[in-house]
Amino acid sequence: MHRRLLSALVPAVFLGLAAIAPAALAQEDTAPAPGAQAPDAQPPAAEAPAAAEAGEPAPTAAPAAAAAPPPRSYLSWAVESLGVGYSVIFLLLSVTLVSLMVMNFVKTMRSNIAPPDLVEAFEAHLDAKQFSEAYELASSDESVLGRVLAAGLGKLSAGGDYPRAIEAMQEVGEEENMRLEHRLSYIALIGTISPMIGLLGTVQGMISSFNVIATSPTTPKPSELAEGISTALFTTAVGLAIAIPAIAFYNVFRNLLARRVLEVGILSEGLMSRFQKAK
């Protein structure tokens, strides 16, 4: 009986070993050796310098992100947004405004309207009874007061009376005042048209932006709309930057000119009254 049991178990054991052996051998071939890395694992960072020292090419890194565009200066952005046409127009307005401001500042100085030296010299000639010298002094002076006094003395020397001399002086004074205000009014003109030109650029820029929206088959990018909006904003800003100082200068110097002309009238009448007494 034992012999029959052993003869049945031995073939079963051999069959089981024959089935297990191939799987065990396959698992043994695929298992990594102790201390070895998986095929997909990246080499440690310490191996990169070693590879570089050995002359082997280092593994290439992932491509870096696209570099940001260089920063653009505010001035170049403004010139590009304004364009050639608006840049030239605003540049001419700025140069003209500065020239007019300097010119009117010089013309409204006391030395060019009612110089104290002329008043002192004229009074000295009247005190010395030198009427012809006083007339020559007033005629040779280019100030407003000199022209007014020359008109009054010329009327008296032609045989006119004192009221006619005062009337002639007032006419010349009004003419000089009109001439000075006429030059000053150009500053007010620049202060008026500069924001209008800026408003024209604003309308043009907005039309350009809406044209991009209307003609684009897809949703336009913000950078495509920024060009027209930049033109609109920069033209408005530059127009106001020119208009604000122009209007302020005009109002301040108009009041100063009115005070200077009033001073000329008071001085001329006072000097001519002394001349009438002297005569």
mmCIF file of all heavy atoms in Angstrom, residues 101-149:
data_model
loop_
_atom_site.group_PDB
_atom_site.id
_atom_site.type_symbol
_atom_site.label_atom_id
_atom_site.label_comp_id
_atom_site.label_asym_id
_atom_site.label_seq_id
_atom_site.Cartn_x
_atom_site.Cartn_y
_atom_site.Cartn_z
ATOM 1 N N MET A 101 5.156 132.906 -25.079
ATOM 2 C CA MET A 101 5.225 133.177 -23.643
ATOM 3 C C MET A 101 6.452 134.011 -23.301
ATOM 4 O O MET A 101 6.374 134.972 -22.527
ATOM 5 C CB MET A 101 5.239 131.852 -22.879
ATOM 6 C CG MET A 101 3.909 131.112 -22.916
ATOM 7 S SD MET A 101 3.991 129.459 -22.205
ATOM 8 C CE MET A 101 4.255 129.837 -20.472
ATOM 9 N N VAL A 102 7.589 133.675 -23.893
ATOM 10 C CA VAL A 102 8.806 134.455 -23.642
ATOM 11 C C VAL A 102 8.659 135.875 -24.196
ATOM 12 O O VAL A 102 9.024 136.862 -23.544
ATOM 13 C CB VAL A 102 10.020 133.741 -24.258
ATOM 14 C CG1 VAL A 102 11.264 134.611 -24.158
ATOM 15 C CG2 VAL A 102 10.264 132.403 -23.565
ATOM 16 N N MET A 103 8.105 135.993 -25.401
ATOM 17 C CA MET A 103 7.942 137.305 -26.020
ATOM 18 C C MET A 103 7.013 138.199 -25.207
ATOM 19 O O MET A 103 7.316 139.380 -24.954
ATOM 20 C CB MET A 103 7.409 137.133 -27.445
ATOM 21 C CG MET A 103 7.297 138.428 -28.227
ATOM 22 S SD MET A 103 6.528 138.150 -29.853
ATOM 23 C CE MET A 103 7.645 136.920 -30.524
ATOM 24 N N ASN A 104 5.880 137.649 -24.790
ATOM 25 C CA ASN A 104 4.939 138.455 -24.011
ATOM 26 C C ASN A 104 5.471 138.770 -22.625
ATOM 27 O O ASN A 104 5.165 139.826 -22.057
ATOM 28 C CB ASN A 104 3.600 137.723 -23.905
ATOM 29 C CG ASN A 104 2.778 137.823 -25.165
ATOM 30 O OD1 ASN A 104 2.057 138.789 -25.391
ATOM 31 N ND2 ASN A 104 2.881 136.801 -26.020
ATOM 32 N N PHE A 105 6.238 137.870 -22.061
ATOM 33 C CA PHE A 105 6.850 138.158 -20.761
ATOM 34 C C PHE A 105 7.801 139.347 -20.857
ATOM 35 O O PHE A 105 7.826 140.219 -19.982
ATOM 36 C CB PHE A 105 7.586 136.917 -20.266
ATOM 37 C CG PHE A 105 8.316 137.122 -18.976
ATOM 38 C CD1 PHE A 105 7.642 137.124 -17.767
ATOM 39 C CD2 PHE A 105 9.687 137.329 -18.970
ATOM 40 C CE1 PHE A 105 8.325 137.323 -16.575
ATOM 41 C CE2 PHE A 105 10.375 137.527 -17.787
ATOM 42 C CZ PHE A 105 9.686 137.519 -16.582
ATOM 43 N N VAL A 106 8.566 139.387 -21.945
ATOM 44 C CA VAL A 106 9.505 140.497 -22.124
ATOM 45 C C VAL A 106 8.746 141.799 -22.414
ATOM 46 O O VAL A 106 9.085 142.871 -21.890
ATOM 47 C CB VAL A 106 10.499 140.169 -23.254
ATOM 48 C CG1 VAL A 106 11.369 141.381 -23.582
ATOM 49 C CG2 VAL A 106 11.379 138.989 -22.858
ATOM 50 N N LYS A 107 7.707 141.724 -23.240
ATOM 51 C CA LYS A 107 6.976 142.933 -23.633
ATOM 52 C C LYS A 107 6.172 143.536 -22.480
ATOM 53 O O LYS A 107 5.922 144.748 -22.479
ATOM 54 C CB LYS A 107 6.040 142.620 -24.792
ATOM 55 C CG LYS A 107 6.757 142.324 -26.096
ATOM 56 C CD LYS A 107 7.521 143.518 -26.600
ATOM 57 C CE LYS A 107 8.185 143.248 -27.931
ATOM 58 N NZ LYS A 107 8.947 144.434 -28.434
ATOM 59 N N THR A 108 5.744 142.713 -21.537
ATOM 60 C CA THR A 108 4.953 143.240 -20.424
ATOM 61 C C THR A 108 5.804 143.637 -19.217
ATOM 62 O O THR A 108 5.245 143.986 -18.178
ATOM 63 C CB THR A 108 3.921 142.189 -19.979
ATOM 64 O OG1 THR A 108 4.580 140.952 -19.700
ATOM 65 C CG2 THR A 108 2.862 141.975 -21.042
ATOM 66 N N MET A 109 7.106 143.596 -19.354
ATOM 67 C CA MET A 109 7.963 144.060 -18.258
ATOM 68 C C MET A 109 7.827 145.574 -18.109
ATOM 69 O O MET A 109 7.552 146.296 -19.075
ATOM 70 C CB MET A 109 9.413 143.667 -18.529
ATOM 71 C CG MET A 109 9.669 142.163 -18.487
ATOM 72 S SD MET A 109 11.382 141.731 -18.884
ATOM 73 C CE MET A 109 12.238 142.535 -17.532
ATOM 74 N N ARG A 110 8.025 146.017 -16.916
ATOM 75 C CA ARG A 110 7.891 147.448 -16.650
ATOM 76 C C ARG A 110 8.887 148.272 -17.458
ATOM 77 O O ARG A 110 8.585 149.390 -17.887
ATOM 78 C CB ARG A 110 8.090 147.707 -15.157
ATOM 79 C CG ARG A 110 7.813 149.161 -14.734
ATOM 80 C CD ARG A 110 8.130 149.350 -13.269
ATOM 81 N NE ARG A 110 7.297 148.476 -12.448
ATOM 82 C CZ ARG A 110 6.084 148.804 -12.019
ATOM 83 N NH1 ARG A 110 5.552 149.969 -12.359
ATOM 84 N NH2 ARG A 110 5.416 147.977 -11.263
ATOM 85 N N SER A 111 10.068 147.738 -17.693
ATOM 86 C CA SER A 111 11.092 148.474 -18.434
ATOM 87 C C SER A 111 10.717 148.679 -19.897
ATOM 88 O O SER A 111 11.257 149.572 -20.558
ATOM 89 C CB SER A 111 12.431 147.739 -18.354
ATOM 90 O OG SER A 111 12.320 146.421 -18.875
ATOM 91 N N ASN A 112 9.805 147.863 -20.421
ATOM 92 C CA ASN A 112 9.374 148.006 -21.803
ATOM 93 C C ASN A 112 8.041 148.727 -21.941
ATOM 94 O O ASN A 112 7.644 149.067 -23.063
ATOM 95 C CB ASN A 112 9.250 146.628 -22.464
ATOM 96 C CG ASN A 112 10.598 145.980 -22.690
ATOM 97 O OD1 ASN A 112 11.571 146.649 -23.012
ATOM 98 N ND2 ASN A 112 10.664 144.672 -22.502
ATOM 99 N N ILE A 113 7.334 148.963 -20.858
ATOM 100 C CA ILE A 113 6.051 149.669 -20.916
ATOM 101 C C ILE A 113 6.150 151.049 -20.275
ATOM 102 O O ILE A 113 5.791 152.051 -20.894
ATOM 103 C CB ILE A 113 4.948 148.827 -20.241
ATOM 104 C CG1 ILE A 113 4.694 147.550 -21.064
ATOM 105 C CG2 ILE A 113 3.650 149.627 -20.124
ATOM 106 C CD1 ILE A 113 3.579 146.689 -20.523
ATOM 107 N N ALA A 114 6.630 151.100 -19.060
ATOM 108 C CA ALA A 114 6.773 152.383 -18.362
ATOM 109 C C ALA A 114 8.108 152.388 -17.627
ATOM 110 O O ALA A 114 8.149 152.200 -16.401
ATOM 111 C CB ALA A 114 5.616 152.604 -17.396
ATOM 112 N N PRO A 115 9.199 152.593 -18.345
ATOM 113 C CA PRO A 115 10.522 152.538 -17.688
ATOM 114 C C PRO A 115 10.705 153.682 -16.699
ATOM 115 O O PRO A 115 10.399 154.847 -17.027
ATOM 116 C CB PRO A 115 11.504 152.636 -18.863
ATOM 117 C CG PRO A 115 10.728 153.262 -19.960
ATOM 118 C CD PRO A 115 9.317 152.846 -19.781
ATOM 119 N N PRO A 116 11.181 153.397 -15.512
ATOM 120 C CA PRO A 116 11.393 154.470 -14.527
ATOM 121 C C PRO A 116 12.446 155.483 -14.973
ATOM 122 O O PRO A 116 12.360 156.679 -14.615
ATOM 123 C CB PRO A 116 11.847 153.711 -13.270
ATOM 124 C CG PRO A 116 11.350 152.300 -13.467
ATOM 125 C CD PRO A 116 11.422 152.064 -14.929
ATOM 126 N N ASP A 117 13.443 155.050 -15.770
ATOM 127 C CA ASP A 117 14.469 155.983 -16.234
ATOM 128 C C ASP A 117 13.870 157.069 -17.126
ATOM 129 O O ASP A 117 14.280 158.237 -17.059
ATOM 130 C CB ASP A 117 15.560 155.227 -17.008
ATOM 131 C CG ASP A 117 16.300 154.238 -16.118
ATOM 132 O OD1 ASP A 117 16.267 154.427 -14.882
ATOM 133 O OD2 ASP A 117 16.901 153.279 -16.658
ATOM 134 N N LEU A 118 12.893 156.682 -17.953
ATOM 135 C CA LEU A 118 12.252 157.669 -18.816
ATOM 136 C C LEU A 118 11.474 158.684 -17.995
ATOM 137 O O LEU A 118 11.499 159.893 -18.292
ATOM 138 C CB LEU A 118 11.314 156.951 -19.796
ATOM 139 C CG LEU A 118 10.461 157.848 -20.700
ATOM 140 C CD1 LEU A 118 11.336 158.708 -21.615
ATOM 141 C CD2 LEU A 118 9.498 157.009 -21.523
ATOM 142 N N VAL A 119 10.813 158.228 -16.952
ATOM 143 C CA VAL A 119 10.033 159.142 -16.116
ATOM 144 C C VAL A 119 10.953 160.144 -15.429
ATOM 145 O O VAL A 119 10.683 161.368 -15.416
ATOM 146 C CB VAL A 119 9.216 158.340 -15.079
ATOM 147 C CG1 VAL A 119 8.465 159.290 -14.144
ATOM 148 C CG2 VAL A 119 8.239 157.403 -15.776
ATOM 149 N N GLU A 120 12.061 159.663 -14.899
ATOM 150 C CA GLU A 120 12.993 160.560 -14.207
ATOM 151 C C GLU A 120 13.620 161.560 -15.164
ATOM 152 O O GLU A 120 13.731 162.762 -14.867
ATOM 153 C CB GLU A 120 14.068 159.729 -13.512
ATOM 154 C CG GLU A 120 13.542 158.848 -12.388
ATOM 155 C CD GLU A 120 14.631 158.007 -11.764
ATOM 156 O OE1 GLU A 120 15.795 158.130 -12.230
ATOM 157 O OE2 GLU A 120 14.335 157.235 -10.830
ATOM 158 N N ALA A 121 14.046 161.082 -16.343
ATOM 159 C CA ALA A 121 14.677 161.997 -17.304
ATOM 160 C C ALA A 121 13.673 163.013 -17.847
ATOM 161 O O ALA A 121 14.012 164.193 -18.054
ATOM 162 C CB ALA A 121 15.287 161.189 -18.451
ATOM 163 N N PHE A 122 12.438 162.572 -18.079
ATOM 164 C CA PHE A 122 11.419 163.497 -18.584
ATOM 165 C C PHE A 122 11.105 164.573 -17.550
ATOM 166 O O PHE A 122 10.964 165.766 -17.890
ATOM 167 C CB PHE A 122 10.158 162.708 -18.946
ATOM 168 C CG PHE A 122 9.190 163.465 -19.784
ATOM 169 C CD1 PHE A 122 9.307 163.500 -21.164
ATOM 170 C CD2 PHE A 122 8.127 164.150 -19.202
ATOM 171 C CE1 PHE A 122 8.391 164.205 -21.942
ATOM 172 C CE2 PHE A 122 7.215 164.850 -19.961
ATOM 173 C CZ PHE A 122 7.351 164.882 -21.349
ATOM 174 N N GLU A 123 10.993 164.184 -16.298
ATOM 175 C CA GLU A 123 10.748 165.165 -15.243
ATOM 176 C C GLU A 123 11.914 166.135 -15.104
ATOM 177 O O GLU A 123 11.703 167.346 -14.872
ATOM 178 C CB GLU A 123 10.507 164.451 -13.911
ATOM 179 C CG GLU A 123 9.158 163.762 -13.814
ATOM 180 C CD GLU A 123 8.974 163.078 -12.468
ATOM 181 O OE1 GLU A 123 9.997 162.836 -11.783
ATOM 182 O OE2 GLU A 123 7.823 162.798 -12.105
ATOM 183 N N ALA A 124 13.118 165.637 -15.301
ATOM 184 C CA ALA A 124 14.286 166.527 -15.207
ATOM 185 C C ALA A 124 14.269 167.572 -16.315
ATOM 186 O O ALA A 124 14.593 168.753 -16.086
ATOM 187 C CB ALA A 124 15.570 165.695 -15.277
ATOM 188 N N HIS A 125 13.874 167.177 -17.520
ATOM 189 C CA HIS A 125 13.795 168.152 -18.617
ATOM 190 C C HIS A 125 12.680 169.172 -18.375
ATOM 191 O O HIS A 125 12.835 170.358 -18.703
ATOM 192 C CB HIS A 125 13.544 167.432 -19.945
ATOM 193 C CG HIS A 125 14.753 166.722 -20.478
ATOM 194 N ND1 HIS A 125 15.952 167.356 -20.712
ATOM 195 C CD2 HIS A 125 14.943 165.416 -20.836
ATOM 196 C CE1 HIS A 125 16.837 166.492 -21.192
ATOM 197 N NE2 HIS A 125 16.239 165.297 -21.270
ATOM 198 N N LEU A 126 11.573 168.722 -17.802
ATOM 199 C CA LEU A 126 10.496 169.670 -17.506
ATOM 200 C C LEU A 126 10.918 170.663 -16.430
ATOM 201 O O LEU A 126 10.589 171.869 -16.511
ATOM 202 C CB LEU A 126 9.241 168.919 -17.062
ATOM 203 C CG LEU A 126 8.522 168.091 -18.130
ATOM 204 C CD1 LEU A 126 7.271 167.460 -17.542
ATOM 205 C CD2 LEU A 126 8.176 168.929 -19.347
ATOM 206 N N ASP A 127 11.634 170.169 -15.423
ATOM 207 C CA ASP A 127 12.091 171.082 -14.369
ATOM 208 C C ASP A 127 13.083 172.099 -14.908
ATOM 209 O O ASP A 127 13.128 173.248 -14.449
ATOM 210 C CB ASP A 127 12.733 170.283 -13.228
ATOM 211 C CG ASP A 127 11.711 169.428 -12.497
ATOM 212 O OD1 ASP A 127 10.500 169.745 -12.565
ATOM 213 O OD2 ASP A 127 12.110 168.407 -11.875
ATOM 214 N N ALA A 128 13.862 171.708 -15.911
ATOM 215 C CA ALA A 128 14.862 172.610 -16.495
ATOM 216 C C ALA A 128 14.294 173.442 -17.644
ATOM 217 O O ALA A 128 15.065 174.159 -18.308
ATOM 218 C CB ALA A 128 16.064 171.809 -16.975
ATOM 219 N N LYS A 129 12.983 173.348 -17.903
ATOM 220 C CA LYS A 129 12.332 174.087 -18.991
ATOM 221 C C LYS A 129 12.876 173.682 -20.362
ATOM 222 O O LYS A 129 12.830 174.488 -21.310
ATOM 223 C CB LYS A 129 12.510 175.600 -18.807
ATOM 224 C CG LYS A 129 12.088 176.120 -17.443
ATOM 225 C CD LYS A 129 10.607 175.938 -17.210
ATOM 226 C CE LYS A 129 10.204 176.554 -15.854
ATOM 227 N NZ LYS A 129 8.749 176.386 -15.602
ATOM 228 N N GLN A 130 13.363 172.457 -20.487
ATOM 229 C CA GLN A 130 13.899 171.963 -21.761
ATOM 230 C C GLN A 130 12.809 171.128 -22.443
ATOM 231 O O GLN A 130 12.820 169.903 -22.446
ATOM 232 C CB GLN A 130 15.156 171.124 -21.519
ATOM 233 C CG GLN A 130 16.286 171.898 -20.861
ATOM 234 C CD GLN A 130 17.462 171.028 -20.498
ATOM 235 O OE1 GLN A 130 17.393 169.798 -20.582
ATOM 236 N NE2 GLN A 130 18.562 171.656 -20.096
ATOM 237 N N PHE A 131 11.866 171.799 -23.046
ATOM 238 C CA PHE A 131 10.713 171.114 -23.626
ATOM 239 C C PHE A 131 11.061 170.351 -24.903
ATOM 240 O O PHE A 131 10.526 169.271 -25.153
ATOM 241 C CB PHE A 131 9.590 172.129 -23.888
ATOM 242 C CG PHE A 131 9.213 172.896 -22.656
ATOM 243 C CD1 PHE A 131 9.216 174.295 -22.653
ATOM 244 C CD2 PHE A 131 8.857 172.231 -21.495
ATOM 245 C CE1 PHE A 131 8.860 175.008 -21.508
ATOM 246 C CE2 PHE A 131 8.492 172.944 -20.359
ATOM 247 C CZ PHE A 131 8.497 174.328 -20.363
ATOM 248 N N SER A 132 11.924 170.932 -25.743
ATOM 249 C CA SER A 132 12.319 170.232 -26.962
ATOM 250 C C SER A 132 13.108 168.975 -26.649
ATOM 251 O O SER A 132 12.939 167.928 -27.305
ATOM 252 C CB SER A 132 13.145 171.167 -27.854
ATOM 253 O OG SER A 132 14.314 171.609 -27.169
ATOM 254 N N GLU A 133 13.971 169.066 -25.627
ATOM 255 C CA GLU A 133 14.722 167.874 -25.220
ATOM 256 C C GLU A 133 13.787 166.807 -24.668
ATOM 257 O O GLU A 133 13.992 165.599 -24.884
ATOM 258 C CB GLU A 133 15.787 168.231 -24.188
ATOM 259 C CG GLU A 133 16.987 168.985 -24.725
ATOM 260 C CD GLU A 133 16.710 170.449 -24.919
ATOM 261 O OE1 GLU A 133 15.546 170.875 -24.647
ATOM 262 O OE2 GLU A 133 17.609 171.186 -25.356
ATOM 263 N N ALA A 134 12.752 167.245 -23.946
ATOM 264 C CA ALA A 134 11.772 166.277 -23.423
ATOM 265 C C ALA A 134 11.026 165.584 -24.562
ATOM 266 O O ALA A 134 10.776 164.368 -24.516
ATOM 267 C CB ALA A 134 10.787 166.985 -22.502
ATOM 268 N N TYR A 135 10.696 166.347 -25.619
ATOM 269 C CA TYR A 135 10.013 165.744 -26.765
ATOM 270 C C TYR A 135 10.928 164.750 -27.489
ATOM 271 O O TYR A 135 10.487 163.666 -27.900
ATOM 272 C CB TYR A 135 9.547 166.843 -27.714
ATOM 273 C CG TYR A 135 8.914 166.316 -28.969
ATOM 274 C CD1 TYR A 135 7.629 165.786 -28.949
ATOM 275 C CD2 TYR A 135 9.610 166.355 -30.179
ATOM 276 C CE1 TYR A 135 7.045 165.287 -30.106
ATOM 277 C CE2 TYR A 135 9.034 165.865 -31.342
ATOM 278 C CZ TYR A 135 7.760 165.326 -31.297
ATOM 279 O OH TYR A 135 7.182 164.835 -32.447
ATOM 280 N N GLU A 136 12.182 165.111 -27.681
ATOM 281 C CA GLU A 136 13.139 164.218 -28.339
ATOM 282 C C GLU A 136 13.368 162.953 -27.517
ATOM 283 O O GLU A 136 13.500 161.849 -28.069
ATOM 284 C CB GLU A 136 14.467 164.951 -28.561
ATOM 285 C CG GLU A 136 14.371 166.074 -29.578
ATOM 286 C CD GLU A 136 15.679 166.813 -29.736
ATOM 287 O OE1 GLU A 136 16.656 166.436 -29.022
ATOM 288 O OE2 GLU A 136 15.751 167.750 -30.550
ATOM 289 N N LEU A 137 13.404 163.105 -26.203
ATOM 290 C CA LEU A 137 13.582 161.933 -25.341
ATOM 291 C C LEU A 137 12.405 160.979 -25.464
ATOM 292 O O LEU A 137 12.588 159.758 -25.578
ATOM 293 C CB LEU A 137 13.746 162.385 -23.883
ATOM 294 C CG LEU A 137 13.850 161.272 -22.839
ATOM 295 C CD1 LEU A 137 15.102 160.443 -23.041
ATOM 296 C CD2 LEU A 137 13.818 161.870 -21.425
ATOM 297 N N ALA A 138 11.195 161.524 -25.466
ATOM 298 C CA ALA A 138 10.009 160.667 -25.580
ATOM 299 C C ALA A 138 9.902 160.037 -26.961
ATOM 300 O O ALA A 138 9.482 158.875 -27.107
ATOM 301 C CB ALA A 138 8.756 161.470 -25.268
ATOM 302 N N SER A 139 10.293 160.770 -28.009
ATOM 303 C CA SER A 139 10.190 160.246 -29.367
ATOM 304 C C SER A 139 11.193 159.127 -29.620
ATOM 305 O O SER A 139 10.898 158.196 -30.376
ATOM 306 C CB SER A 139 10.405 161.380 -30.382
ATOM 307 O OG SER A 139 9.433 162.389 -30.213
ATOM 308 N N SER A 140 12.350 159.218 -29.018
ATOM 309 C CA SER A 140 13.387 158.195 -29.235
ATOM 310 C C SER A 140 13.181 156.951 -28.382
ATOM 311 O O SER A 140 13.845 155.931 -28.618
ATOM 312 C CB SER A 140 14.770 158.791 -28.939
ATOM 313 O OG SER A 140 14.853 159.210 -27.576
ATOM 314 N N ASP A 141 12.291 157.006 -27.415
ATOM 315 C CA ASP A 141 12.054 155.848 -26.554
ATOM 316 C C ASP A 141 11.024 154.919 -27.204
ATOM 317 O O ASP A 141 10.007 155.373 -27.721
ATOM 318 C CB ASP A 141 11.549 156.312 -25.174
ATOM 319 C CG ASP A 141 11.650 155.217 -24.137
ATOM 320 O OD1 ASP A 141 10.732 154.375 -24.086
ATOM 321 O OD2 ASP A 141 12.642 155.184 -23.393
ATOM 322 N N GLU A 142 11.279 153.612 -27.175
ATOM 323 C CA GLU A 142 10.410 152.617 -27.817
ATOM 324 C C GLU A 142 9.355 152.043 -26.874
ATOM 325 O O GLU A 142 8.594 151.170 -27.282
ATOM 326 C CB GLU A 142 11.258 151.460 -28.378
ATOM 327 C CG GLU A 142 12.207 151.876 -29.474
ATOM 328 C CD GLU A 142 11.479 152.370 -30.720
ATOM 329 O OE1 GLU A 142 10.339 151.896 -30.964
ATOM 330 O OE2 GLU A 142 12.032 153.213 -31.437
ATOM 331 N N SER A 143 9.272 152.525 -25.658
ATOM 332 C CA SER A 143 8.298 151.994 -24.717
ATOM 333 C C SER A 143 6.916 152.575 -25.002
ATOM 334 O O SER A 143 6.755 153.533 -25.764
ATOM 335 C CB SER A 143 8.719 152.312 -23.280
ATOM 336 O OG SER A 143 8.732 153.721 -23.063
ATOM 337 N N VAL A 144 5.915 151.996 -24.356
ATOM 338 C CA VAL A 144 4.545 152.485 -24.524
ATOM 339 C C VAL A 144 4.406 153.890 -23.957
ATOM 340 O O VAL A 144 3.770 154.771 -24.568
ATOM 341 C CB VAL A 144 3.558 151.513 -23.846
ATOM 342 C CG1 VAL A 144 2.126 152.040 -23.938
ATOM 343 C CG2 VAL A 144 3.650 150.126 -24.467
ATOM 344 N N LEU A 145 5.002 154.125 -22.804
ATOM 345 C CA LEU A 145 4.932 155.445 -22.193
ATOM 346 C C LEU A 145 5.613 156.489 -23.061
ATOM 347 O O LEU A 145 5.119 157.622 -23.205
ATOM 348 C CB LEU A 145 5.572 155.417 -20.806
ATOM 349 C CG LEU A 145 5.602 156.729 -20.038
ATOM 350 C CD1 LEU A 145 4.181 157.228 -19.797
ATOM 351 C CD2 LEU A 145 6.346 156.561 -18.713
ATOM 352 N N GLY A 146 6.735 156.136 -23.671
ATOM 353 C CA GLY A 146 7.429 157.082 -24.546
ATOM 354 C C GLY A 146 6.587 157.455 -25.753
ATOM 355 O O GLY A 146 6.528 158.635 -26.143
ATOM 356 N N ARG A 147 5.910 156.494 -26.358
ATOM 357 C CA ARG A 147 5.061 156.798 -27.512
ATOM 358 C C ARG A 147 3.851 157.628 -27.113
ATOM 359 O O ARG A 147 3.417 158.519 -27.863
ATOM 360 C CB ARG A 147 4.625 155.498 -28.166
ATOM 361 C CG ARG A 147 5.777 154.727 -28.792
ATOM 362 C CD ARG A 147 5.346 153.387 -29.339
ATOM 363 N NE ARG A 147 6.471 152.661 -29.888
ATOM 364 C CZ ARG A 147 6.400 151.428 -30.376
ATOM 365 N NH1 ARG A 147 5.234 150.790 -30.374
ATOM 366 N NH2 ARG A 147 7.483 150.836 -30.856
ATOM 367 N N VAL A 148 3.311 157.368 -25.948
ATOM 368 C CA VAL A 148 2.162 158.156 -25.492
ATOM 369 C C VAL A 148 2.576 159.601 -25.221
ATOM 370 O O VAL A 148 1.876 160.556 -25.623
ATOM 371 C CB VAL A 148 1.557 157.502 -24.238
ATOM 372 C CG1 VAL A 148 0.522 158.424 -23.599
ATOM 373 C CG2 VAL A 148 0.914 156.165 -24.591
ATOM 374 N N LEU A 149 3.702 159.777 -24.549
ATOM 375 C CA LEU A 149 4.172 161.142 -24.266
ATOM 376 C C LEU A 149 4.545 161.866 -25.544
ATOM 377 O O LEU A 149 4.292 163.083 -25.679
ATOM 378 C CB LEU A 149 5.368 161.083 -23.319
ATOM 379 C CG LEU A 149 5.081 160.625 -21.888
ATOM 380 C CD1 LEU A 149 6.374 160.510 -21.095
ATOM 381 C CD2 LEU A 149 4.106 161.567 -21.203
#
